[in-house]
Amino acid sequence: MEEKKVILVTGGASGIGFGTIEYLLEQGKYEVISFSRGEKNINLAKEKLKEKADSVLFLQGDISNEDDCKKVFEEIDNKYGKLDGLVNSAGIIKLGGLEEQTLEQWNNSINVNLTGIFLLSKILLPLLKKGTNASILNISSIHSEKPGGSIAYCTSKAGLDMLTKFMAQDLTKYKIRVNSINPAFVESNIYLNSGDYTESEYKELIKKRNSTYPLGRIGNVYDDIAPLVEFLLSDKSLWTTGSIYVVDGGKSLF
Ligand SMILES: NC(=O)c1ccc[n+]([C@@H]2O[C@H](COP(=O)([O-])OP(=O)(O)OC[C@H]3O[C@@H](n4cnc5c(N)ncnc54)[C@H](OP(=O)(O)O)[C@@H]3O)[C@@H](O)[C@H]2O)c1
């Protein structure tokens, strides 16, 4: 039987990260590790996964904190001694433009959405070099190109796209692939976590957004994002690196 690939998903307790973990577990070909911030979502994720939760290694910490990232390295090194895939899904948003966004909010977004991905990828690189056909997959956004919503978020995602391309070029020497998925609106907890919307406001927002998509609805992690994540982690995409996949229900065509 084929050896299972070892995959770390950041932000694996919520939204796109969680849906990805559910999907990867369903395939039966992956050892899955999650790395996210708070205990609340980790407990919720375990509840939702039921008995499958026992097969996931849940790690807690901050991707923009060097010590936390080093602890993740040690945990994975001790348990697996290698890493075959890194999905950088952890990310935050706080709505606001130049007038509304505070320096603290700006710094938080850049630190998590950009610096955190640089830092964790850098620290885990020795383990990826020991992996088989290793792959890094960054979750960026259609807002890396199209401004709207949050000045820091859009800027961080624009930077992330260059980080993807730079790392892709840089890591060809190790045959490690680096790609990006840039979704439009996908149902998750990002606006609830940011405090920008209450639960009822978010439900209303989803209803309104559905009708604005050419393909008739907003995105769903499990069906629309996770299969592409898996493809880019798998040996089916061995000739694909430095690619930015826009997945947006046709939004950017109009
Ligand atoms: N949802 C969308 O419409 C959409 C569209 C385009 C791109 N994206 C991108 O998709 C990614 C995932 O977002 P999501 O919508 O799934 O949001 P989400 O539901 O809020 O999940 C984000 C996850 O990241 C974790 N996280 C945040 N900051 C962290 C940090 N410093 N260190 C470690 N973990 C951290 C959160 O931890 P806690 O569990 O403690 O909160 C949470 O588990 C983000 O990069 C986002 O920009 C989302």
Side-chain angles (χ1 to χ4, degrees):
M1 214 174 104
E2 222 177 290
E3 198 190 350
K4 284 187 174 182
K5 282 184 183 283
V6 179
I7 309 292
L8 172 66
V9 181
T10 71
S14 179
I16 292 178
F18 178 73
T20 295
I21 286 183
E22 275 188 305
Y23 187 89
L24 293 178
L25 291 176
E26 204 59 46
Q27 310 313 305
K29 294 188 287 194
Y30 301 96
E31 294 284 350
V32 183
I33 307 153
S34 167
F35 177 32
S36 66
R37 240 174 355 181
E39 203 155 336
K40 187 176 145 219
N41 279 334
I42 293 177
N43 289 335
L44 281 172
K46 285 181 180 170
E47 268 173 43
K48 284 189 213 152
L49 290 173
K50 300 191 181 114
E51 66 279 0
K52 284 189 183 148
D54 295 338
S55 64
V56 179
L57 176 61
F58 280 95
L59 304 175
Q60 196 182 341
D62 178 351
I63 60 161
S64 65
N65 179 296
E66 199 172 357
D67 289 340
D68 289 357
C69 291
K70 283 181 178 165
K71 274 187 209 145
V72 169
F73 173 93
E74 276 158 31
E75 294 263 7
I76 299 174
D77 194 27
N78 289 339
K79 188 155 184 200
Y80 301 103
K82 65 155 189 172
L83 189 62
D84 302 302
L86 167 61
V87 181
N88 285 308
S89 185
I92 56 171
I93 195 167
K94 186 72 199 167
L95 294 177
L98 190 58
E99 288 180 296
E100 298 83 18
Q101 194 109 108
T102 65
L103 178 61
E104 192 186 1
Q105 289 165 352
W106 168 274
N107 284 338
N108 281 344
S109 293
I110 301 293
N111 270 339
V112 176
N113 297 351
L114 190 54
T115 312
I117 294 177
F118 161 78
L119 180 66
L120 186 65
S121 305
K122 183 177 174 63
I123 288 175
L124 296 182
L125 183 58
L127 289 173
L128 288 160
K129 283 160 77 174
K130 291 183 189 165
T132 304
N133 298 329
S135 165
I136 299 176
L137 195 265
N138 295 328
I139 306 295
S140 180
S141 164
I142 51 160
H143 287 298
S144 68
E145 292 212 335
K146 190 178 187 313
S150 162
I151 190 167
Y153 182 82
C154 293
T155 309
S156 69
K157 295 298 187 182
L160 179 56
D161 286 359
M162 180 47 75
L163 186 63
T164 296
K165 289 181 204 165
F166 197 105
M167 289 200 300
Q169 186 191 57
D170 202 11
L171 302 185
T172 50
K173 58 181 175 272
Y174 304 120
K175 302 229 171 13
I176 295 173
R177 292 165 293 122
V178 187
N179 294 289
S180 169
I181 297 180
N182 295 28
F185 195 101
V186 173
E187 187 167 356
S188 78
N189 295 312
I190 197 160
Y191 287 122
L192 303 175
N193 284 336
S194 70
D196 287 314
Y197 287 88
T198 63
E199 270 189 49
S200 59
E201 287 168 344
Y202 188 62
K203 277 186 189 146
E204 274 307 304
L205 179 71
I206 289 174
K207 269 194 217 161
K208 280 190 202 149
R209 287 284 175 94
N210 272 324
S211 61
T212 69
Y213 278 81
L215 292 184
R217 59 171 178 80
I218 63 160
N220 168 289
V221 182
Y222 193 89
D223 299 320
D224 303 324
I225 308 293
L228 182 55
V229 174
E230 200 232 339
F231 170 74
L232 292 168
L233 292 172
S234 77
D235 292 355
K236 290 178 186 160
S237 57
L238 292 183
W239 210 50
T240 304
T241 196
S243 295
I244 308 276
Y245 286 80
V246 171
V247 183
D248 70 349
K251 188 89 173 165
S252 54
L253 296 171
F254 291 83

